[in-house]
């Protein structure tokens, strides 16, 4: 019964990862606010934030670690400081298959050294979208490199999981026109890829290649660590597929991801409500239990008021989302830590809501706790049905709580106090 209450730790517009002291202070603030998971960036701008043998072997010793962190291992520092506070640590491979922001920006060395790894559009030009220059995410060689980079972390560090996002696995819909990818499509269908990059069959074929990559990565990572969490933070579902060939609903259906955090970055409650409802629409009750939306708390030096953030969190619970991930840590510390203090004061860490109709592993855990205490919940099937509701009501009656059959903060606290 520990839903995801997370925050992303960035190395852009934030000083958190640039010293161990800053990491320690930031993580203490996270724990005090009621967060239980941190997602530190470990891959962006063509560098890792951990000493990488894969990078050194592929690009040379000078690329083993982001030069801004020479002599340190930021990931190891986050792990040690986080574990001391009981926080889960899930490294975030932010850039994924993107090489750089701008053709002359940080990260350009990837394609300077491996020009054959470039993604191409239908005109044979290097693939660029929204300012990012892309590696060829359909290339088996590029996929092997990216997989090795991620698995290196799984092998070497006691992390709780690994995370991709709107660039992993992802590829702009305008891409895929390199010689090898066109030949593979031609072999499958007997025709060249269409010039229309949004042709339905062409989109599906490329999206499936990204899903195949994720399936292989998930299998290899779980072979190393069976308890490892596979976490993905794509764009909202329809946009993710239409623009970046990501297929989160298939990932959920096939069990390739444990946590899904669609980036529902909106600046008003009405806009957030629309995005959240669009997200729940195609999901089953059990799938919703694995989804904790990304919520925007900082951008361009600005962020939501504390009351707006709390309204978004309450809306999430009403829709069945058990938690959320906040983008990004600087929002917690801004305005003398106003958001962090608000979360702490409102008991965010224990702000739970389970009720009839919910399904998932957390419901199964609740049923097990009730059964151990002698309450009849029927099958331990992870389905919050009438018997589970009645059992919760009986537990509430026996503890002198308000009897509503809903596991809210007070009932959850009573369970914790009993165990």
């Amino acid at each position: 019964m520990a839903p995801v209450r997370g925050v992303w730790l960035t190395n852009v517009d934030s000083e958190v990862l640039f010293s161990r002291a800053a990491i320690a202070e930031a993580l203490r603030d996270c724990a005090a606010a009621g967060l239980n998971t941190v997602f530190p960036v470990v891959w962006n701008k063509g560098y890792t934030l951990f000493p990488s043998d894969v990078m050194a072997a592929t690009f040379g010793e000078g690329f083993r670690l982001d030069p801004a962190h020479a002599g340190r291992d930021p990931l190891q520092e986050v792990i040690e400081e986080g574990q001391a506070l009981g926080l889960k640590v899930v490294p975030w491979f932010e850039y994924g298959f993107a090489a750089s922001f701008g053709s002359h920006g940080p990260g350009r060395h990837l394609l300077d050294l491996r020009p054959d790894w470039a993604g191409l559009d239908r005109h044979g030009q290097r693939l660029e979208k929204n300012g990012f220059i892309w590696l060829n995410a359909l290339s088996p060689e590029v996929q092997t490199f990216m997989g090795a980079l991620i698995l290196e972390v799984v092998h070497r560090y006691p992390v709780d999981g690994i995370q991709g996002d709107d660039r992993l696995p992802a590829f702009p819909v305008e891409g895929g026109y390199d010689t090898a990818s066109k030949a593979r499509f031609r072999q499958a269908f007997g025709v060249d890829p269409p010039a229309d990059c949004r042709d339905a069959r062409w989109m599906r074929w490329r999206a499936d290649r990204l899903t195949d990559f994720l399936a292989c990565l998930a299998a290899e990572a779980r072979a190393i660590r069976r308890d490892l969490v596979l976490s993905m933070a794509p764009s909202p579902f329809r946009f993710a597929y239409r623009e970046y060939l990501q297929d989160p609903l298939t990932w959920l259906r096939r069990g390739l991801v444990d946590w899904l955090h669609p980036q529902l970055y909106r600046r008003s409650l009405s806009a957030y409500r629309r995005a959240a409802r669009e997200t729940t629409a195609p999901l089953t009750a059990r799938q919703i239990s694995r989804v904790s939306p990304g919520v925007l708390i900082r951008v361009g030096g600005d962020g939501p008021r504390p009351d707006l953030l709390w309204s978004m969190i309450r809306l999430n619970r009403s829709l069945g989302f058990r938690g959320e991930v906040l983008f990004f840590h600087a929002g917690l510390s801004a305005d003398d830590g106003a958001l962090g203090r608000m979360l702490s004061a409102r008991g965010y860490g224990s702000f739970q809501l389970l009720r009839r109709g919910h399904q998932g592993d957390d419901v199964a855990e609740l049923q097990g706790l009730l059964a151990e205490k002698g309450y009849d919940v029927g099958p331990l099937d992870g389905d919050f049905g009438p018997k589970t509701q009645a059992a919760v009501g009986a537990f509430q009656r026996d503890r002198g709580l308000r009897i509503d059959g809903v596991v809210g903060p007070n009932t959850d606290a009573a369970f914790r106090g009993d165990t």
Side-chain angles (χ1 to χ4, degrees):
M1 298 178 69
V4 179
R5 308 285 165 85
V7 66
W8 280 288
L9 305 181
T10 72
N11 60 348
V12 177
D13 293 334
S14 172
E15 298 299 319
V16 166
L17 295 174
F18 286 84
S19 75
R20 180 151 191 162
I23 289 171
E25 180 181 5
L27 297 196
R28 286 194 297 269
D29 290 344
C30 290
L35 301 175
N36 59 19
T37 307
V38 293
F39 299 87
V41 62
V42 293
W43 166 247
N44 67 4
K45 305 177 189 176
Y47 285 103
T48 56
L49 276 77
F50 63 92
S52 171
D53 294 338
V54 171
M55 284 294 291
T58 307
F59 295 103
E61 186 61 36
F63 298 96
R64 181 178 292 276
L65 174 69
D66 186 335
H69 303 283
R72 297 176 52 230
D73 186 340
L75 175 56
Q76 182 64 33
E77 293 171 7
V78 173
I79 292 169
E80 292 174 1
E81 298 292 343
Q83 288 180 341
L85 294 165
L87 298 172
K88 289 183 170 61
V89 177
V90 180
W92 165 38
F93 291 80
E94 180 188 11
Y95 267 41
F97 288 116
S100 63
F101 188 76
S103 57
H104 300 291
R108 63 185 181 277
H109 55 269
L110 298 182
L111 290 179
D112 287 346
L113 295 170
R114 292 302 307 264
D116 55 312
W117 281 13
L120 301 180
D121 63 20
R122 68 186 183 92
H123 302 294
Q125 302 300 308
R126 284 191 176 182
L127 184 60
E128 179 176 358
K129 185 161 183 157
N130 292 332
F132 285 93
I133 309 299
W134 284 74
L135 303 172
N136 182 6
L138 304 181
S139 161
E141 189 174 4
V142 172
Q143 290 187 355
T144 296
F145 162 73
M146 189 58 58
L149 202 64
I150 295 169
L151 294 175
E152 182 178 22
V153 168
V154 179
H155 274 292
R156 287 176 46 189
Y157 295 93
V159 296
D160 295 284
I162 52 175
Q163 185 182 73
D165 60 8
D166 51 345
R167 290 182 283 269
L168 178 71
F171 198 42
V173 70
E174 295 84 1
Y177 291 90
D178 60 284
T179 300
S181 296
K182 290 192 295 183
R184 290 166 65 196
F185 182 86
R186 188 183 310 115
Q187 183 177 23
F189 297 105
V191 295
D192 287 335
D196 178 7
C197 66
R198 298 181 189 277
D199 173 84
R201 183 169 64 173
W202 178 219
M203 286 183 67
R204 171 50 54 194
W205 183 83
R206 289 172 293 164
D208 286 347
R209 303 292 73 75
L210 297 179
T211 297
D212 290 346
F213 165 79
L214 180 58
C216 290
L217 176 64
E220 292 184 68
R222 288 166 175 159
I224 300 167
R225 291 261 308 281
R226 291 184 62 185
D227 62 342
L228 191 78
V229 169
L230 272 295
S231 167
M232 293 291 153
S235 299
F237 298 153
R238 287 188 292 180
F239 181 88
Y241 186 79
R242 185 178 70 244
E243 299 298 332
Y244 289 95
L245 301 169
Q246 295 189 296
D247 195 0
L249 295 176
T250 294
W251 304 347
L252 274 176
R253 187 179 68 250
R254 291 179 54 182
L256 302 182
V257 297
D258 301 298
W259 297 347
L260 198 65
H261 311 297
Q263 298 176 24
L264 307 187
Y265 297 162
R266 303 294 185 272
R267 300 194 189 198
S268 72
L269 184 60
S270 59
Y272 184 84
R273 182 182 292 111
R274 287 193 297 272
R277 287 176 174 170
E278 287 174 2
T279 298
T280 61
L283 299 174
T284 67
R286 193 171 295 274
Q287 288 171 339
I288 289 175
S289 72
R290 295 184 177 273
V291 178
S292 301
V295 176
L296 185 68
I297 64 168
R298 191 71 170 173
V299 62
D302 194 15
R305 303 180 312 277
D307 60 335
L308 175 56
L309 174 60
W310 191 248
S311 293
M312 290 176 174
I313 291 169
R314 289 174 60 86
L315 175 63
N316 282 345
R317 299 299 173 276
S318 72
L319 293 173
F321 297 128
R322 317 302 205 256
E324 46 279 312
V325 183
L326 309 178
F327 186 83
F328 55 102
H329 175 269
L332 289 179
S333 58
D335 300 324
D336 195 29
L339 289 186
R341 290 198 311 274
M342 179 276 292
L343 293 174
S344 178
R346 292 180 181 269
Y348 173 62
S350 60
F351 184 56
Q352 176 74 298
L353 187 65
L354 289 176
R355 63 187 180 191
R356 186 166 175 173
H358 285 178
Q359 298 178 13
D361 294 340
D362 50 357
V363 176
E365 183 180 357
L366 168 67
Q367 292 172 326
L369 288 171
L370 286 165
E372 288 175 7
K373 297 177 190 302
Y375 297 94
D376 180 15
V377 296
L380 305 184
D381 57 4
D383 188 346
F384 201 129
K387 276 202 165 185
T388 300
Q389 183 183 32
V392 170
F395 174 85
Q396 291 169 329
R397 181 194 64 228
D398 294 343
R399 300 312 188 276
L401 301 170
R402 176 172 176 261
I403 303 172
D404 60 5
V406 175
V407 181
N410 292 335
T411 303
D412 184 58
F415 274 117
R416 296 175 190 276
D418 276 6
T419 57

